[in-house]
Amino acid sequence: LGKCEACGKGSFCPEGTLHDGGLALGSARINLCPAGYFCPEPTLAFLCPPGYFCPLGSHKPFSCDGIALSNVAMAGNYCPIGSDMPFGLCPKGWYCPDASQAFRCPEGHYCEVQSLEPKPCASFSSCPEGSQRPGISYMVLIAMVSLFVGFGLMLLSIALWIRINQRKTLAEGSKAEKQASLLKAIGVKLGLCAEQMSYASNLKGFSENIMLVDIVISDLSVRMAKKGKSKLVLRGVSLAFKASSLNIIMGSSGAGTMTFLKA
């Protein structure tokens, strides 16, 4: 020490620089050109330009283009001003045609990491400026929601229609069953034979197209014979049953009501 020596290549030695003297077993870097700068002369230091990288102790900038790792060319890297490594990646939402330029992804396009150029978005997708991936358009989203809601309402309407028809069918079946039971009861009361009762049991109900008629009985007489003797039990009975009306035949025991009904 105690004397001045010329700085080596890639060193930065402004006026008054102290020689590091190989401190720390020769690993001292006090006199090296700082990372992100290049020093063409020991007294000059320049910021590394875009598209280049300047590691520690650089006497010139090195291009970031054409970098290969294991014989595989690296693409989509980006070296902004002051870079000290060539491995910076073009960020999401930007595209880098070369290592020195980065442009914001335009509207209608998307740019993933390491993009060399913007990619156009598909139809019905949303890609505002700076998009890193295609998004779903609000109009498409609204249309899809409307479609699903409409489909759901249609299914609900069909289910409701089926439910209403099932209830209607059950109600009609219950009504027919009651009518059949009523017909059977009337048949029992009228003393119908087995064949007539079998026919009545097969009836499902009253027809909706039945014709309404009045039943008119005029001068009905009934004579009953037993053991060679006959007796007039009903004589000159006349009456009328109006359509869609309720009629009651009443009488004391032996008055001939059942004889009248059977006649």
Side-chain angles (χ1 to χ4, degrees):
L1 300 179
K3 64 179 181 177
C4 290
E5 296 181 5
C7 290
K9 192 176 182 179
S11 298
F12 180 55
C13 302
E15 185 178 358
T17 298
L18 176 67
H19 193 284
D20 57 34
L23 299 176
L25 302 178
S27 62
R29 298 180 176 181
I30 294 177
N31 303 132
L32 293 180
C33 190
Y37 290 79
F38 69 98
C39 304
E41 297 179 9
T43 57
L44 299 174
F46 299 98
L47 194 63
C48 207
Y52 293 83
F53 70 100
C54 301
L56 185 69
S58 296
H59 68 283
K60 67 174 183 177
F62 301 92
S63 177
C64 291
D65 292 319
I67 300 296
L69 299 175
S70 301
N71 296 325
V72 177
M74 185 175 182
N77 58 323
Y78 174 55
C79 297
I81 188 170
S83 296
D84 60 349
M85 296 178 61
F87 307 119
L89 301 180
C90 191
K92 297 177 181 179
W94 298 72
Y95 69 98
C96 306
D98 55 53
S100 64
Q101 302 179 88
F103 301 98
R104 189 166 175 81
C105 207
E107 185 177 1
H109 297 73
Y110 69 98
C111 302
E112 299 173 328
V113 66
Q114 282 186 274
S115 292
L116 295 175
E117 60 183 13
K119 298 177 182 179
C121 291
S123 301
F124 306 111
S125 59
S126 174
C127 292
E129 184 181 3
S131 297
Q132 55 183 316
R133 65 176 62 89
I136 300 177
S137 172
Y138 288 111
M139 295 300 295
V140 174
L141 184 61
I142 292 173
M144 291 178 62
V145 171
S146 301
L147 181 63
F148 280 113
V149 171
F151 186 68
L153 290 176
M154 184 181 69
L155 291 179
L156 183 62
S157 300
I158 293 174
L160 185 61
W161 179 80
I162 293 175
R163 188 67 178 271
I164 292 174
N165 278 271
Q166 285 178 339
R167 289 185 177 181
K168 184 178 179 181
T169 303
L170 291 174
E172 291 176 353
S174 178
K175 182 180 178 181
E177 185 178 355
K178 290 180 181 179
Q179 290 176 347
S181 300
L182 178 60
L183 290 174
K184 293 177 184 178
I186 293 174
V188 172
K189 275 292 187 180
L190 295 176
L192 300 180
C193 64
E195 183 179 355
Q196 292 171 326
M197 287 295 293
S198 176
Y199 174 76
S201 64
N202 292 326
L203 294 176
K204 301 301 182 181
F206 299 109
S207 172
E208 295 180 357
N209 299 321
I210 191 169
M211 181 182 296
L212 300 179
V213 296
D214 296 337
I215 301 175
V216 179
I217 300 173
S218 177
D219 196 19
L220 173 65
S221 297
V222 177
R223 182 181 292 276
M224 301 184 67
K226 187 177 181 182
K227 295 181 180 181
K229 297 181 180 180
S230 64
K231 182 180 181 181
L232 188 64
V233 294
L234 289 177
R235 178 187 296 172
V237 178
S238 297
L239 53 89
F241 297 101
K242 295 294 182 180
S244 300
S245 64
L246 177 63
N247 298 273
I248 302 175
I249 300 176
M250 301 178 63
S252 61
S253 179
T257 55
M258 288 304 297
T259 301
F260 171 75
L261 289 175
K262 291 180 180 181

